Structures are given as structure tokens and as C-alpha cells.
Amino acid sequence: MLSMQKKQSKKQGEQGKQGRQGERLTSLLPYLIALASGILMGLTVAPVGAWFLAWIALVPLWVLIVTSAKNQNQSPPAPPSPPAPPALFWGIGYHGVALSWITGIHPMTWLGVPWLPSLAITLFCWGFISLLGGVFVTIWAAVMVRLAEQKPWLRILIGTAVWCGLESLWSAGPLWWSSLAYTQSPHNLVIVHLGQLSGPNTVTAAIVAVNGLIAEAYINRQDTKMSSASSLRDAMRRQFVNKYLVVATGLLITLHLIGFILYSRPIAQVPEAALKVGIIQGNIPNRLLRSSEGFRRAQENYTNGYLTLAEQGVDAVLTPEGALPIFQRNLMETALVAAVKKKGVVAWIGAFGERGDSYTISLFTFNNKGEIVSRYDKAKLVPLGEYIPFEEILGGLVQRLSPLEAHQVPGSANQIFDTPFGRAIASICYESAFPEQFRYQAAAGGQFILSSSNDAHYSASMPFQHHAQDIMRAIETDRWSARATNTGYSAFVDPHGRTLWISGYNTYETHAETIYRRQTQTLYVRWGDWLTPLLLISSGGVWLVIKFSNTKKLSN
């Protein structure tokens, strides 16, 4: 008898242990689901490029948030499953995977940083930006929790508006790159054309709304199963639930049709507006920038490339960011400027400008006489790469990735860049992620885009994501774009975002292509991002009306 009692007690103990393990697994499941769906969203961009996942990758998080909040409102309430932490995991999953190229800055031993501190700094930067993305998604989730008992259509409207508002807020700061909109570039150019209406947030709104409709279809399907209503009412509810998927499908098709109409418009190629531009991809590793050998190679590669392109009859030559890593005052002594004076072909040369005791990363226009006639200073600096966040902590461990010791400062936000061929839209490297920079210059009369970059210190997926950003800016502004980089990917892009030519990676290359100056203005260029405030105001207004109406009914 005693033996049987021991066996029974042991069996109960094992069952209790298995039950506790099951409870722990159940409590962890929302976090795992959120993390996995965030990772799926991260796979939409390079190097994987599974762009189609963006239209469903937000659905699991949406369902988790709403169903969890509804369970908490039951009587008695279900076991707690807070939606905000899963949202944090989703944001970390998405931004962590999409921005994993940040790890390419390690090791920074060529900057004099020991291997372990270099690893620590790299992981800190990657972790910080991923966590920041998670915080923004968590804020969005907190708003959605408050809407759990609202009508599904109101959740979709407010959820879309708040997501767009948060992306606008984040993009106003210095740490910005991974908008939901860029998940569609360069593979789904049709939908990216919605950016001509109200900028990238138009594409973001489309993605969030479609995900929301699919999620609400699932949520209401679950509600139907749990309902104890009559069979007739169940049938009616199922018919209503089906409408969410119908609307999601209809919205997706309609948005692509609108994009296709914009994509199908012919591009005028007036001979008088033609401009034959050559680019030089110098392929100088950043670790050589501080050395005399690096400067010698830069002079040789860019001078020879310029002469080659001049012989091909180009009108102008574009070089990458920091092509010649010297100050403006020393440019006149270089072989490249001597070649400009000899050949008489306009050149845009990346070098360093001076501003008092500080310096700027700049793009200089040299006319056919070898004289500097305009200058554009980089306005958006790269954290860690060009200035040190938390400099009091990290300043003693790492210097800037620039070859210069002086203090770097940004250019003004509202610059214009006049050239011998008319006003251009200038962008230097990281600025490609900030559409407002391009919109302002296009509205000010910029007729074509000159993008000058150096992505050599990052992993290979970053240059392709950078190219995808430049494609979006070309579409939004309806401009031809010439992009010169140090190590790749250099490219030429037409106003529909089609890549006419793209370079290899880690190769020395020159290439010439004809682009066309344009003076058209898209709705986005004229009005900016009008959609986000419209969504916020309209959704907020509807919510207030409903709340006031419900309060009035209760008081009566």
C-alpha cells in the first residue's frame, strides 16, 4: 500500500511538473510568435528580399494584441498575457534582421580599436537601434490595446494612422532607415509608386491596413466560433467575417492598380534635356583612407576614370562620397582637378569642406575650367560612422570612420545645389533614407538626382538596401538618378525606379548613361506627406465622436 502511494505521489509530481512546463511554454508562446513574425518582416529586404511577406507579417502581432486585450476584459479575466512585450519582440525581430548589416563595421582594428571593444561597440549599436524600433512598435501596441472593444474598422483606421505617425516621428530624428515602405523596394515598383501621392508613408499605410484587415478577419472568425448565437446569426456573422478578407483583397488589388497607372505613364525624353553622366566606382577600402597609399590609389583611380569617361563624350562625371579624402583647399593641387582643367568636362567630386575649425563631407561642382562653382554639405550624419553617440562613454574607445581628426558638422537642412546643367537634387550616403531632403530640393527646382555614397565599411546587404532607398526617392520625386559609390552598388535609375545599370560589388568600374532633366512635380513634392496628418485627424475625430455618443447614451 505504501509503495502504491509513493508511485501515485511520484506520478502526480511528474504530472505537476509537466503542467508547469506546459504553462511556461504557453506563456512564452506569444513572445515567440511575435518574434518570429517580426523576423519574417525583416526577411522582406536584402539580402533575402521576400517582399511579399510584408503583407502578412504584421497579422500575428495584430491578432495577439487584440485577442489578449479582449481576454483581459472578460469576466472573470483570462490569465494575463500583456500585448506590449510581444510587440517589443516583434520590433526587435524586424529591425534587428533588417539592420543586421550594422555588424559589418566590426572589426574596427584598422581604426586602432581592439577586437573585443570593437565587438562590444558593434553589438551595442545594433542592439540599441533594434530596441528603439521595438519601443516604437510597443507604443503602437499600447494604443491598439485601448481599441480592443472598438469596431474592427475603427481599429484598422486608427492602427494605420498611429503607425504612420510613429514612423514620421522616428524619421525626424537621426536614427532612421527601416520604414515598412522600403520592404517593397526594389522588387514591387508598382506599389512603391504610391509614394508619388504622399511619400513613403502611403506605402506604409497600405501595408498596415491590409495586414489589419486580414487580422480582423481571423479575430472575428474566432469570435464566431466562440459565440453561442443561433445558427442564423452565426451564418450572418460568417458572411460579415468574409467581408474582411474581401475588402483586404480588394484594397490590395486597387492599390496595385493605382500604382500600375502611375508606373505606366510614359517618361518624356526630350533631347534638349538629355545629360550624359559618367560615374566612377573607385573601390578604395576605407582602411586605406588614412594612408598615403590610399590617397595615391584614389588619385590614380579617379583621375584615370575621369579621363576614360571624358573620352567617351560624357557631359559630367560623378564621384563617390569622400572620393578624395582631403580638404577643399587642397583639391586644386590634385591630378583629378588638373584633368578637369585639361579636358573641360564638368566633375562632381566628393571631398571635405571647411567650416571654421570643423569640416563637412561635401560634394563640389567643378566647371569646365576646373573652378568650384557650387558645394553641397552632407546634412544627415551617420551615428558612430560620422559622429559618436554617447561620446562621453564611447569617445575614448572609437574615433570616427572618417580619415580626418577634426570635428565633423552637418550641412544645413535647406540647401540647393546649382550646377552648369541646372539645379540638381544632391544626396550624400545616409541621406537616402530621408525623403524630405529630396522632396525639398525637388520642390526648389531640382531636375535630377546626384547620389554620392561610401558603404565600404558595412556588410554586403547594406549597399543593396541603400540602392532600394534611392529607387524610392527617384520614384517619389519623379526624377532620374545617378548614384556613385566607392565599392558598390553604383547605379542609374529612371523616374519609374527601373535600374538601367548597376555595378558589381567591390569592383573598380566606370560607366556612362544618359539621364534627362525634369521639372515635373508629384503630389508628394507639392504637398509633402499630407496622408499621415489626414489619417490621424480623421481617425481621432471619429473616435471622439463615437466616445461622445456612447457617453451620451449611458447618461440617458
Side-chain angles (χ1 to χ4, degrees), residues 33 108 128 150 197 199 207 209 228 235 273 288 296 305 313 343 366 378 382 395 408 414 419 437 453 455 465 531:
I33 292 174
M108 293 181 279
F128 180 82
Q150 299 292 338
L197 303 178
I207 293 171
S228 58
L288 293 179
R296 184 196 66 78
K343 291 294 185 178
F366 283 80
K378 186 176 185 177
V382 181
Q408 184 172 331
N414 299 326
T419 78
Q437 297 276 117
S453 302
D455 300 328
Q465 288 189 23
L531 179 63

Side-chain angles (χ1 to χ4, degrees), residues 324-331 351-354 358-359 364 404 406:
L324 297 181
I326 56 175
F327 287 120
Q328 175 183 348
R329 62 177 179 268
N330 299 319
L331 278 174
F352 299 103
E354 296 173 87
S358 302
Y359 77 98
F364 298 93
L404 302 176

Side-chain angles (χ1 to χ4, degrees), residues 345-357:
V345 174
V346 171
W348 291 294
I349 300 176
F352 299 103
E354 296 173 87
R355 189 183 298 171
D357 295 331

Side-chain angles (χ1 to χ4, degrees), residues 136-178:
F136 274 88
V137 180
T138 301
I139 295 171
W140 175 80
V143 175
M144 295 296 288
V145 168
R146 301 293 299 271
L147 302 171
E149 299 304 323
Q150 299 292 338
K151 297 292 186 181
W153 63 266
L154 185 59
R155 278 199 297 269
I156 295 167
L157 179 61
I158 296 179
T160 302
V162 171
W163 193 291
C164 290
L166 288 170
E167 283 207 357
S168 294
L169 180 63
W170 193 1
S171 65
L175 296 171
W176 177 240
W177 187 267
S178 45

Side-chain angles (χ1 to χ4, degrees), residues 373-411:
V373 294
S374 62
R375 162 182 163 182
Y376 176 83
D377 299 331
K378 186 176 185 177
K380 295 288 185 180
L381 304 184
V382 181
L384 182 63
E386 293 160 350
Y387 75 93
I388 305 175
F390 314 107
E391 191 164 1
E392 297 79 7
I393 301 173
L394 301 178
L397 294 176
V398 62
Q399 297 297 318
R400 299 161 187 82
L401 299 185
S402 160
L404 302 176
E405 300 295 338
H407 180 66
Q408 184 172 331
V409 292

